């Protein structure tokens, strides 16, 4: 029985999504749980996993937009065809996105069907491979009957670790190339030698395309502005255009915060540890309840004052950034905030956030301190009215009562929308954040 | 510690429980003056008399029926069925009456009875006196099932069984009766539902029941010389089953052999294998192997019987397929 | 026998009759699920036998057990609720008609296995003997069960150990659909008592006084430690083996003849003839029994169904 592949609903508000990439080629065999396509909404890009196993039949090509729960493809058994009525239904849906011929082209397998590769490996070996993200087809089995056992995966991993140090000299046999099936197919089609590409991570279609463009155009590299990059680009431009930004900086002494943090983290499990950022988030959340303009939104002819603080926390990703939201940060204890930030950040990096977890923030904290940045001018995360940038915390010479003392300090940079927030209000707000951080007992009583 | 044989340990448990609780009584074929077909009840008749060590007609249904009626009305009977093979004769009283009474009556009845029955081959007793039928009873909700492998466990588990308020099947292995081991003196209770690690190891887990425990320990000794380390787990009670102990060991070693004397097909080893596959699949680094009797009734001639029954070498062979 | 006791025999038979008559209606209306096996026509046997028993005596019963249960002191409300599968029923909805039990009243359970109780009853007798009490056990079973293993093994064991058990065979002429003449060569099951060296007695099972006296004699022997008795009560069930049984195996004439010998009509006539009671008194009893039955139905209907998860409780003590 043909299994439908649907455009999933990834959040409460999602109504449609764009297929930005098929991660498995048409006609390939996919296993349950394999990521098969990437969906882009106006907030987030998400990988969609196969709900079943079977041969993938793509109905909607990359770039198509589909309504939530619309059929975008099928998983078929060997020899099975797309149901006739379903093929008819699928066609009009693609009209908005792509010409019909293209659909037909996509539906025809590009090459003869290949037998799915069945790797003989034990469940323990498969688990280890899954955990470490390696491709079992690259591992040699030494177990009974040639099975790959857990120890084989371990020794493969050891080998991989040593690899950079023992990179083969010219002519020596190189280690197998790690690449996605799409990348392998594309490389073959475009005549790119995967072995010549950088091997820091598993090669994807994008790497191959980039290499192809590089080969064509020499020194330049052209890649499509798509996915998360495109979303970020749009949002930044929109914010910079619509909101007259002003940025003010203020130095904050963090010696007391350091002492408090040390105290709180003593005898504490890893997951309960409090970071400076958590303290800053909590301090900002508290100050926002006292300065509603900084927590507001301009909506056409009206101003919305939110009676809650949904704190956006910027998280840098490998190829972009995302702002997951700690809801009701003002009501939560410091430890709750810390745990939630940790969880959201981890899942953000693993691309495991739901759409609902990245929408609805009323204010954002962004931290470049770990990169050694002292101060900067962050761009407001629309439709918020302000954003707090956090600089490097380090010991600096400070003049105290006419003499120079060494203090732990940082600079906070607040960008605000001057339509809604005046300079004096912004300064008072920032001063209040400083006060809460320099006398963190004001924050402490809320610890659960 | 003092040494007792498996049958002496069982007798000691019976004696102590009969002294402790006047509602405990024994009934069965030739358990009285004769002392039991395998001599297990021995001299209990002398101490407790014919009322509490009752010789019955050769009527297995009547034996179990009487135990059910007595248990439901305040006694704590310990019937003996001379060979577990004869349980076929009284299945209705066990499966439809004893196992279900409490449940059918909405929890208002209590059936504290422990049915003792010897299992196992190895004595040229042929097809109707050599089976191991424990798996049948593990398929019936309401019954508990015990298979001790050592003298100490036999004493401790039988004591727990007699004190339990449910119908319990207590399967003794005939070949273990004369085997001696250290047995604690006085009151000694081994709680039901707790497995025992009979030997710690790191390479392969062997889950073994009844006499296969001692064979697994022999295999472990021999394989240790070859550098293969076996961990031997004895579930001791099949229902309730200590799944955690088995899973913990499998998670440690990643390889498992399940050894029982009963025929392999649909044996209790299949249940253990299923539990492992369901709950610890991701830790398995090799297929689950089962060791048991081959698919035939137990034959008479020693050479035939030894061919059918599983032994130490079968465990060793199974282990070697996994490492 | 004093009037009070005689009237009570009448009342008990009427309770069984009216309870079961109501069950036929409720079953037809689809309010009672599963199987019900009715005792209508056989009331004199259960009532006559149980009239000899104390609350601490035991009975084992059969799949046709409503009469035994009511006669031994079972609570009609709890029985009806159990038939409905309600939480408030005797078995919390887990047993139904075939497994009603009341351990406090010595009712060791109806039984879905033909001859099941014949195995258990000697155990209850043994228990009384070992505990040194004079409790007796009445084991009810049918002519069909007299061909089961448990009949032989159970009676033999009770006999050889002189257990205080009274085996009451309710010979209603049919083992399900098979007439007695087709399932055994003896005309009287009681003849089989000879094989176990115990007394065997045949009694008119539709005569409550006859049953009462025969069982009374056996109870006396049992309490005195003289061992078991086999009593065969000749009777007849008016309904099919189960509700819905088309009874193709018997004639209307046969049924009509047995209805002429209705145990309740016979006994009420006897009571009136002997001037023990008046018509008015009988009417009053009928009205009281009707009320009790109606109350049991209301109780059952108003009781909640058990929670589904309750199905996992009571498997072990």
């Amino acid at each position: 029985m043909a299994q439908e592949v649907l455009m999933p609903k990834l959040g409460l508000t999602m109504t449609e999504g764009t297929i930005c990439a098929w991660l498995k080629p048409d006609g390939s065999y996919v296993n349950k749980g394999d990521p098969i396509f990437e969906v882009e909404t106006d907030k987030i890009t998400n990988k969609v996993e196969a709900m079943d196993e079977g041969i993938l039949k793509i109905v909607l090509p990359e770039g198509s937009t589909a309504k939530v729960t619309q059929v975008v493809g099928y998983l078929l058994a060997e020899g099975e065809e797309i149901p006739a009525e379903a093929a008819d239904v699928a066609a009009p849906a693609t009209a908005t996105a792509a010409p019909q011929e293209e659909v037909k082209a996509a539906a025809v397998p590009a090459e003869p069907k290949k037998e799915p590769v069945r790797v003989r490996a034990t469940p323990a070996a498969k688990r280890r491979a899954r955990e470490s993200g390696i491709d079992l087809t690259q591992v040699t089995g030494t177990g009974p009957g040639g099975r790959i056992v857990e120890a084989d995966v371990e020794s493969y991993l050891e080998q991989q670790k040593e690899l950079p140090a023992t990179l083969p000299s010219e002519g020596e046999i190189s280690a197998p190339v790690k690449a996605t099936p799409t990348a392998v197919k594309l490389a073959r089609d475009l005549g790119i030698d995967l072995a010549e590409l950088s091997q820091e991570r598993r090669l994807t279609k994008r790497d191959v395309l980039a290499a192809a463009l590089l080969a064509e155009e020499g020194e330049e590299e052209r890649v499509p502005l798509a996915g998360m990059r495109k979303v970020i680009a749009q949002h930044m431009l929109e914010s910079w255009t619509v909101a007259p930004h002003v940025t003010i900086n203020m130095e904050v002494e963090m010696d007391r915060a350091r002492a408090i943090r040390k105290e709180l983290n003593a005898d504490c499990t890893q997951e309960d540890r409090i970071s400076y950022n958590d303290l800053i988030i909590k301090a900002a959340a508290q100050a926002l309840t006292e300065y509603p303009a900084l927590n507001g939104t301009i909506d056409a002819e009206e101003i919305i004052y939110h009676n809650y603080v949904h704190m956006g926390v910027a998280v840098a990703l490998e190829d972009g950034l995302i702002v997951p939201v700690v809801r009701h940060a003002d009501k939560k204890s410091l430890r709750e905030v810390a745990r939630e930030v940790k969880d959201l950040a981890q899942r953000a990096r693993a691309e495991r956030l739901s759409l609902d977890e990245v929408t609805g923030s009323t204010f954002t904290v962004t931290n470049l301190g770990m990169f050694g940045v002292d101060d900067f001018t962050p761009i407001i995360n629309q439709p918020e009215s302000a954003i707090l940038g956090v600089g490097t915390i380090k010991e600096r010479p400070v003049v105290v009562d006419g003499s120079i003392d060494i203090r732990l300090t940082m600079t906070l940079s607040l960008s605000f929308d001057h339509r809604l927030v005046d300079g004096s209000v912004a300064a008072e707000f920032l001063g209040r954040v400083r006060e809460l951080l320099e006398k963190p007992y004001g924050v402490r009583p809320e610890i659960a | 510690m003092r040494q007792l044989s498996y049958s002496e340990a069982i007798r000691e448990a019976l004696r102590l429980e009969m002294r402790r609780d006047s509602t405990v009584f024994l009934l069965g074929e030739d358990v009285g003056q004769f002392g039991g077909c395998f001599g297990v009840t021995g001299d209990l008749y002398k101490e407790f008399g014919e009322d509490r060590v009752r010789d019955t007609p050769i009527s297995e249904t009547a034996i179990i029926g009487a135990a059910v009626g007595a248990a439901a009305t305040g006694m704590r009977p310990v019937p003996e069925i001379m060979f577990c093979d004869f349980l076929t004769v009284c299945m209705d009283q066990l499966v439809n009456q004893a196992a279900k009474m409490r449940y059918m009556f909405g929890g208002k009845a209590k059936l504290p009875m422990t049915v003792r029955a010897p299992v196992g081959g190895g004595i040229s007793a042929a097809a109707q006196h050599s089976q191991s039928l424990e798996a049948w009873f593990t398929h019936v909700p309401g019954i508990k099932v015990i298979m001790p492998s050592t003298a100490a466990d036999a004493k401790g588990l039988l004591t727990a069984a007699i004190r339990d308020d449910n119908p319990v099947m207590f399967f003794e292995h005939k070949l273990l009766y004369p085997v001696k081991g250290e047995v604690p003196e006085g009151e000694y209770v081994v709680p039901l539902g707790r497995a025992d690690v009979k030997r710690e190891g790191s390479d392969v887990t062997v889950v073994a029941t009844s006499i296969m425990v001692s064979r697994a320990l022999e295999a472990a000794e021999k394989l240790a010389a070859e550098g293969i380390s076996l961990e031997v787990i004895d579930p001791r009670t099949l229902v309730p089953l200590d799944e955690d102990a088995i899973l913990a060991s499998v998670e440690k070693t990643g390889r498992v052999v399940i050894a029982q004397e009963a025929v392999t097909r649909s044996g209790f080893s299949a249940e253990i294998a299923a539990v492992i596959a369901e709950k610890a699949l991701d830790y398995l680094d090799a297929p689950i192997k089962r060791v048991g009797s081959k698919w035939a009734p137990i034959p008479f001639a020693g050479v035939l019987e030894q061919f059918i029954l599983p032994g130490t070498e079968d465990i060793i062979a199974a282990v070697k397929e996994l490492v | 026998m004093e009037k009070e006791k005689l009237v009570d025999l009448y009342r008990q038979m009427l309770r069984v009759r009216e309870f079961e008559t109501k069950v036929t209606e409720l079953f037809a209306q689809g309010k009672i699920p599963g199987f019900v096996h009715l005792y209508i026509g056989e009331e004199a046997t259960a009532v006559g036998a149980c009239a000899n028993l104390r609350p601490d005596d035991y009975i084992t019963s059969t799949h046709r057990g409503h009469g035994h249960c009511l006669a031994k002191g079972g609570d009609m409300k709890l029985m009806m609720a159990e038939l409905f599968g309600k939480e408030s029923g005797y078995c919390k909805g887990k047993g139904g008609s075939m497994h009603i039990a009341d351990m406090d009243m010595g009712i060791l359970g109806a039984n879905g296995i033909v001859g099941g109780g014949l195995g258990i009853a000697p155990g209850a007798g043994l228990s009384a003997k070992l505990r040194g009490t004079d409790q007796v056990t009445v084991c009810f079973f049918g002519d069909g069960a007299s061909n089961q293993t448990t009949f032989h093994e159970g009676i033999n064991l009770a006999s050889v150990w002189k257990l205080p058990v009274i085996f009451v065979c309710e010979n209603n002429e049919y083992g399900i659909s098979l007439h007695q003449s087709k399932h055994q060569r003896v005309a009287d099951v009681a003849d089989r008592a000879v094989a176990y060296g115990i007394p065997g007695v045949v009694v008119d099972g539709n005569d409550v006084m006859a049953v009462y006296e025969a069982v009374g004699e056996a109870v006396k022997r049992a309490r005195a430690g003289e061992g078991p008795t086999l009593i065969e009560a000749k009777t007849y069930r008016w309904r099919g083996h189960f509700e819905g049984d088309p009874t193709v195996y018997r004639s209307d004439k046969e049924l009509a003849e047995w209805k002429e010998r209705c145990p309740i009509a016979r006994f009420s006539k006897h009571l009136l003839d002997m001037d023990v009671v008046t018509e008015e008194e009988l009417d009053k009893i009928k009205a009281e029994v009707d009320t009790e039955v109606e109350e049991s139905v209301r109780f059952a209907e108003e009781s909640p169904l058990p929670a589904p998860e309750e199905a996992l409780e009571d498997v072990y003590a």
Side-chain angles (χ1 to χ4, degrees):
Chain A
M1 185 54 201
Q3 296 289 317
E4 295 174 338
V5 178
L6 305 176
M7 173 61 66
K9 188 171 169 70
L10 300 169
L12 285 178
T13 55
M14 174 172 167
T15 55
E16 60 177 29
T18 303
I19 301 171
C20 48
W22 280 98
L23 303 173
K24 296 277 179 181
D26 190 53
S28 65
Y29 189 87
V30 301
N31 287 308
K32 185 172 175 179
D34 285 351
I36 49 175
F37 67 99
E38 247 174 26
V39 178
E40 178 191 317
T41 67
D42 62 344
K43 274 284 175 192
I44 197 169
T45 302
N46 235 314
K47 287 199 176 71
V48 179
E49 295 178 351
M51 305 293 278
D52 210 326
E53 58 180 12
I55 296 161
L56 178 64
K57 274 287 174 196
I58 293 175
V59 173
L60 294 190
E62 289 179 3
S64 311
T65 299
K67 299 254 178 277
V68 161
T69 73
Q70 187 183 330
V71 176
V72 301
Y74 288 91
L75 292 176
L76 305 175
E78 193 71 43
E80 194 181 22
E81 293 296 326
I82 298 182
E85 73 279 12
D88 291 345
V89 176
T94 65
T96 53
Q100 213 163 327
E101 301 84 83
E102 219 176 292
V103 181
K104 281 183 185 153
V108 176
E111 55 185 286
K113 255 175 270 172
K114 275 184 291 179
E115 278 301 304
V117 184
R118 296 293 287 187
V119 180
R120 196 157 190 231
T122 66
K126 285 178 179 161
R127 169 180 51 82
R128 196 70 190 87
R130 204 159 56 228
E131 286 166 359
S132 47
I134 68 160
D135 179 1
L136 277 175
T137 57
Q138 307 300 330
V139 180
T140 310
T142 65
R147 263 187 212 101
I148 300 169
V149 295
E150 196 174 0
D152 296 329
V153 180
E154 297 293 353
S155 53
Y156 178 81
L157 284 169
E158 279 304 306
Q159 240 178 333
Q160 292 297 104
K161 228 184 281 173
E162 291 161 10
L163 211 56
T166 60
L167 260 185
S169 56
E170 208 89 33
E172 264 185 313
I173 296 160
S174 60
V177 177
K178 285 190 293 175
T180 64
T182 323
V184 171
K185 179 175 174 292
L186 201 60
R188 200 164 48 229
D189 292 349
L190 298 174
I192 305 276
D193 182 0
L194 284 176
E196 287 180 1
L197 302 185
S198 160
Q199 274 281 302
E200 278 164 24
R201 58 186 168 82
R202 200 160 132 103
L203 296 171
T204 65
K205 181 178 144 187
R206 227 169 265 162
D207 298 319
V208 179
L209 279 174
L213 286 165
L214 203 62
E216 262 172 38
E217 302 183 14
E219 298 302 302
E220 280 177 356
E221 181 185 340
R222 274 178 173 271
V223 294
L225 179 58
M228 181 182 291
R229 191 74 262 145
K230 190 173 171 185
V231 172
I232 294 171
Q234 281 167 353
H235 285 180
M236 290 303 141
L237 179 63
E238 183 206 345
S239 181
W240 193 250
T241 319
V242 74
H245 280 63
V246 177
T247 304
I248 57 174
N249 297 313
M250 194 176 281
E251 192 173 56
V252 181
E253 284 188 13
M254 294 295 278
D255 299 280
R256 298 286 294 279
R258 170 163 62 184
I260 289 299
R261 189 172 161 252
K262 194 172 164 199
E263 191 182 310
L264 288 176
N265 287 344
D267 308 321
C268 187
T269 63
Q270 193 59 36
E271 70 185 43
D272 277 348
R273 286 177 69 83
I274 309 275
S275 69
Y276 284 116
N277 211 44
D278 298 328
L279 281 168
I280 295 163
I281 288 168
K282 192 59 199 155
Q286 192 164 326
L288 284 168
T289 60
E290 299 161 27
Y291 295 88
L294 280 293
N295 196 41
T297 294
I298 292 187
D299 183 24
E301 301 301 310
E302 292 175 327
I303 301 167
I304 305 169
Y305 290 108
H306 304 289
N307 292 325
Y308 50 85
V309 177
H310 287 355
M311 185 65 78
V313 182
V315 174
L317 303 177
E318 201 180 335
D319 50 359
L321 87 133
I322 197 157
V323 186
V325 183
V326 178
R327 281 170 204 278
H328 300 291
D330 54 327
K331 307 263 181 353
K332 286 176 181 161
S333 72
L334 181 56
R335 281 225 196 274
E336 282 171 331
V337 167
R339 273 187 219 127
E340 205 172 321
V341 168
K342 218 163 280 156
D343 170 57
L344 288 167
Q346 270 168 12
R347 286 192 294 117
R349 289 184 201 106
E351 299 179 30
R352 284 272 178 265
L353 289 176
S354 73
L355 190 52
D356 297 324
E357 286 172 316
V358 295
T359 48
S361 56
T362 59
F363 184 87
T364 296
V365 171
T366 177
N367 191 333
L368 289 178
M370 63 288 243
F371 300 109
V373 170
D374 282 335
D375 57 65
F376 57 110
T377 56
I379 295 179
I380 297 164
N381 184 19
Q382 289 300 327
E384 296 161 18
S385 65
I387 183 166
L388 185 64
V390 181
T392 293
I393 302 171
K394 64 178 180 189
E395 290 183 332
R396 295 180 174 91
V398 174
V399 178
V400 185
D401 296 337
S403 59
I404 294 172
D405 197 4
I406 294 173
R407 293 281 168 93
L408 189 71
T409 70
M410 70 167 176
T411 300
L412 290 179
S413 306
L414 179 75
S415 291
F416 57 93
D417 185 341
H418 213 328
R419 290 179 300 166
L420 184 53
V421 183
D422 297 328
S424 60
V425 175
E428 278 177 35
F429 165 76
L430 197 51
R432 177 63 177 142
V433 174
R434 176 175 65 180
E435 185 182 29
L436 286 167
L437 287 168
E438 290 185 347
K439 296 174 182 144
Y441 284 100
V443 177
R444 264 202 90 186
E446 292 174 51
I447 296 165
Chain B
M1 204 188 289
R2 131 200 103 126
Q3 300 260 324
L4 285 186
S5 73
Y6 187 83
S7 57
E8 285 166 344
I10 292 168
R11 182 155 63 248
E12 183 163 280
L14 292 171
R15 188 191 310 280
L16 294 178
E17 287 311 289
M18 289 178 80
R19 282 180 187 163
R20 176 178 175 271
D21 180 349
S22 65
T23 66
V24 177
F25 72 100
L26 315 183
L27 71 168
E29 295 155 13
D30 313 305
V31 299
Q33 202 163 19
F34 187 75
C37 178
F38 291 95
V40 176
T41 46
D43 60 352
L44 293 176
Y45 175 85
K46 278 193 200 135
E47 179 173 347
F48 298 101
E50 63 179 7
D51 262 3
R52 293 183 69 195
V53 186
R54 302 186 80 86
D55 280 317
T56 66
I58 304 172
S59 303
E60 284 78 11
T61 295
I63 294 169
I64 300 300
V68 172
T73 55
M75 301 299 285
R76 219 166 259 277
V78 186
E80 175 182 305
I81 297 296
M82 191 185 280
F83 288 81
C84 93
D85 313 66
F86 306 164
L87 286 166
T88 54
V89 182
C90 49
M91 280 305 260
D92 175 68
Q93 288 293 328
L94 284 169
V95 173
N96 285 322
Q97 312 296 342
K100 298 175 172 56
M101 252 168 117
R102 175 178 181 78
Y103 187 81
M104 292 190 302
F105 299 171
K108 297 195 187 88
K110 218 169 61 173
L111 272 289
M113 55 185 274
T114 302
V115 181
R116 293 179 40 246
V119 297
I123 57 168
S124 274
Q128 297 174 338
H129 293 77
S130 301
Q131 298 170 86
S132 296
L133 299 176
E134 69 276 4
W136 292 358
F137 299 92
T138 66
H139 197 60
V140 180
I143 296 182
K144 296 185 178 181
V145 181
I146 305 180
M147 286 198 110
S149 67
T150 67
D153 284 349
K155 177 178 175 182
L157 290 165
L158 182 56
T159 305
I162 292 171
R163 295 181 187 183
D164 197 279
D165 282 338
N166 297 284
V168 180
M169 301 301 296
F170 191 83
F171 291 112
E172 303 159 6
H173 199 287
K174 298 176 197 97
L175 291 189
L176 291 176
Y177 280 138
V179 178
K180 283 190 188 279
E182 291 186 344
V183 178
E185 298 198 41
E187 177 168 298
Y188 178 57
V189 183
V190 173
L192 306 189
R194 208 169 291 169
D196 190 30
V197 180
K198 296 292 188 198
R199 179 185 172 116
E200 286 193 20
S202 56
D203 294 332
V204 178
T205 299
V206 180
V207 182
T209 52
S210 193
I211 196 162
M212 295 310 283
V213 173
S214 44
R215 301 202 165 126
L217 291 170
E218 268 173 40
E221 203 55 47
K222 288 187 180 171
L223 286 168
E226 298 179 34
I228 300 170
S229 162
L230 298 193
E231 176 145 304
V232 179
I233 308 273
D234 177 5
R236 302 196 288 195
T237 60
L238 309 190
V239 179
L241 180 65
D242 187 350
E243 293 185 2
D244 292 346
I246 295 170
L247 295 174
S249 179
V250 171
E251 286 177 17
K252 181 168 81 172
T253 63
R255 293 174 171 79
V256 63
V257 171
I258 308 163
Q260 64 176 29
E261 187 179 302
V263 280
T264 306
R265 178 172 293 171
S266 300
F268 192 71
S269 58
E271 172 64 20
I272 295 176
V275 167
I276 293 168
E278 280 178 347
K279 301 185 178 171
L281 183 72
D282 283 343
Y283 293 90
L284 284 178
D285 212 7
I288 301 169
K289 291 294 291 182
R290 287 185 290 157
V291 170
S293 281
K294 296 183 179 66
W295 188 240
I298 308 296
F300 167 66
V303 55
L304 299 177
E305 186 177 29
Q306 288 314 311
F307 179 76
I308 291 290
L309 293 174
T312 308
E313 290 308 314
D314 296 294
I315 297 175
I316 291 173
V319 167
K320 287 194 170 170
E321 281 183 57
L322 302 184
V323 295
Chain C
M1 193 188 283
E2 66 274 31
K3 173 177 173 176
E4 201 179 307
K5 183 103 189 179
L6 291 167
V7 170
D8 195 54
L9 290 176
Y10 174 76
R11 178 194 295 274
Q12 292 306 331
M13 287 198 289
L14 200 62
R15 286 176 77 226
V16 176
R17 173 69 56 91
E18 296 306 321
F19 175 82
E20 292 213 316
T21 304
K22 179 53 89 178
V23 169
T24 65
E25 288 169 27
L26 295 165
F27 187 82
Q29 291 165 12
K31 290 187 175 171
I32 294 177
F35 291 119
V36 284
H37 306 85
L38 299 183
Y39 195 65
I40 294 174
E42 306 182 33
E43 296 90 344
T45 305
V47 171
C50 290
N52 291 290
L53 301 182
R54 306 190 308 238
D56 67 337
D57 289 326
Y58 301 110
I59 62 165
T60 63
S61 173
T62 71
H63 56 282
R64 200 175 305 289
H66 303 157
H68 310 138
C69 188
L70 284 169
K72 183 63 174 58
D75 185 323
M76 190 186 286
K77 284 213 294 283
L78 303 188
M79 287 174 66
M80 190 63 93
E82 186 59 31
L83 263 58
F84 275 66
K86 295 299 183 71
E87 189 186 31
S88 60
Y90 256 124
C91 316
K92 303 190 238 170
K94 288 174 184 164
S97 168
M98 274 191 285
H99 303 301
I100 289 173
D102 186 336
M103 304 307 279
D104 296 334
M105 292 303 295
I107 301 167
L108 303 181
N111 209 309
I113 304 294
V114 170
L118 282 158
I120 297 167
L126 174 60
S127 165
K129 190 176 165 121
L130 287 173
R131 285 183 283 111
T133 74
D134 67 344
Q135 293 162 288
V136 300
T137 302
V138 170
C139 172
F140 292 104
F141 61 100
D143 50 303
S146 72
N147 299 325
Q148 284 274 27
T149 311
T150 45
F151 174 86
H152 169 65
E153 293 196 16
I155 298 179
N156 183 60
L157 193 76
S159 157
V160 75
W161 286 350
K162 285 203 167 182
L163 301 178
V165 182
I166 299 93
F167 294 95
V168 177
C169 176
E170 301 171 318
N171 182 349
N172 62 18
E173 297 204 351
Y174 289 89
I176 307 184
S177 70
L178 204 61
H179 190 263
Q180 189 199 356
S181 61
K182 293 182 182 172
H183 73 59
Q184 55 193 196
R185 201 47 94 74
V186 289
D188 296 328
V189 174
D191 285 353
R192 294 186 170 177
V194 179
Y196 309 110
I198 62 169
V201 181
V202 176
V203 68
D204 179 352
N206 280 21
D207 180 346
V208 69
M209 289 307 294
V211 175
Y212 175 76
E213 282 164 12
V215 174
E217 201 57 37
V219 167
K220 212 180 297 166
R221 289 189 65 236
R223 290 208 207 280
E226 292 167 26
T229 306
L230 173 59
I231 293 169
E232 177 185 10
K234 305 276 193 187
T235 183
Y236 195 83
R237 68 169 143 79
W238 291 9
R239 310 290 301 180
H241 170 64
F242 53 89
E243 281 303 282
D245 173 3
T247 63
V248 293
Y249 45 83
R250 71 183 188 191
S251 68
D252 292 346
K253 181 165 164 286
E254 181 182 290
L255 176 60
E257 281 168 13
W258 275 99
K259 283 190 171 176
E260 285 299 307
R261 293 153 67 184
C262 170
I264 298 173
R266 271 169 77 181
F267 191 58
S268 60
K269 182 169 182 301
H270 172 74
L271 293 181
L272 290 169
D273 289 350
M274 302 290 290
D275 286 333
V276 179
V277 291
T278 63
E279 290 277 5
E280 291 70 39
E281 281 174 297
L282 292 184
D283 288 347
K284 184 162 168 279
I285 292 168
K286 172 76 163 62
E288 284 166 4
V289 169
D290 284 347
T291 306
E292 187 188 5
V293 172
E294 288 309 324
E295 276 172 4
S296 76
V297 174
R298 192 174 325 119
F299 174 76
E301 284 184 329
E302 286 172 2
S303 293
L305 288 167
E309 315 78 70
E310 178 64 24
L312 294 178
E313 299 298 321
D314 301 323
V315 179
Y316 292 99

